[in-house]
Amino acid sequence: MHTLTPRPLTKAAFADFGDVVETDGAQPIEINQGFARRCNGLAAIDVTSGGADVNISLFEAKPRPQPIEIKLMERHPLGSQLFMPLQDRPWLVLVCDDPRDPASYHAFTASGRQGVNYARNVWHHPLLVFDEASRFMVVDRISPDNLEELWLDEPLFLSIP
């Protein structure tokens, strides 16, 4: 049995898989007569090749039983997929280079102020949360051919300290 333990999500640790979406290190600009701040360029959205449309949706997730049994990984060959939490609640990110190689998996704990933008073709697990009714804004491609799933022969387990 292969067990993974998540580590904190950082831009450097996640760079091979996409973008960490957070305002840390960003240079905000004042807008709306000084009543708001805007941080640009937080993620490289890549969804419109071949004339596809951008989809902005809301997901509501619930926690899985622990230890979390990892049976499925997915990727999006035609575009990136961004998840941004709408509450300040920690959540989990699981990615890998090769779903059949347990040594290639990386688990991260994201703060409720961090989102991720999975780059095109990055293997990741569907949304993993700690709390009921965890809501996320998702930005991805509207396209029925933009999902590849791989069911694992033997599950992995994600342990939460």
Side-chain angles (χ1 to χ4, degrees):
M1 175 171 75
H2 191 82
T3 302
L4 300 163
T5 302
R7 58 189 166 134
L9 180 66
T10 66
K11 289 180 180 182
F14 195 74
D16 289 342
F17 307 104
D19 307 305
V20 174
V21 183
E22 63 185 349
T23 57
D24 289 355
Q27 297 298 316
I29 56 173
E30 286 194 17
I31 60 170
N32 300 336
Q33 301 81 45
F35 289 94
R37 293 184 322 157
R38 179 178 177 157
C39 296
N40 290 324
L42 300 180
I45 304 301
D46 172 20
V47 297
T48 59
S49 66
D53 290 325
V54 174
N55 182 42
I56 297 176
S57 57
L58 292 175
F59 283 24
E60 187 169 286
K62 60 184 179 180
R64 295 169 188 256
Q66 292 196 30
I68 300 170
E69 192 173 16
I70 306 302
K71 302 178 194 178
L72 164 77
M73 294 297 281
E74 66 180 35
R75 68 179 174 181
H76 306 283
L78 302 177
S80 60
Q81 187 179 45
L82 182 143
F83 285 84
M84 190 70 201
L86 297 178
Q87 307 87 199
D88 194 355
R89 298 178 186 165
W91 59 292
L92 295 168
V93 176
L94 180 64
V95 294
C96 68
D97 297 312
D98 177 355
R100 292 178 183 91
D101 178 8
S104 78
Y105 281 73
H106 303 272
F108 301 97
T109 301
S111 77
R113 295 176 178 262
Q114 292 177 304
V116 297
N117 183 42
Y118 297 113
R120 181 188 300 225
N121 270 322
V122 166
W123 287 106
H124 61 278
H125 192 275
L127 190 55
L128 294 168
V129 299
F130 293 112
D131 300 308
E132 289 291 331
S134 292
R135 297 179 67 215
F136 288 76
M137 180 180 68
V138 179
V139 179
D140 60 1
R141 175 188 176 104
I142 294 179
S143 173
D145 55 351
N146 191 35
L147 174 64
E148 182 180 341
E149 295 178 328
L150 190 136
W151 289 88
L152 304 178
D153 294 332
E154 292 193 27
L156 302 174
F157 292 90
L158 184 59
S159 70
I160 311 305

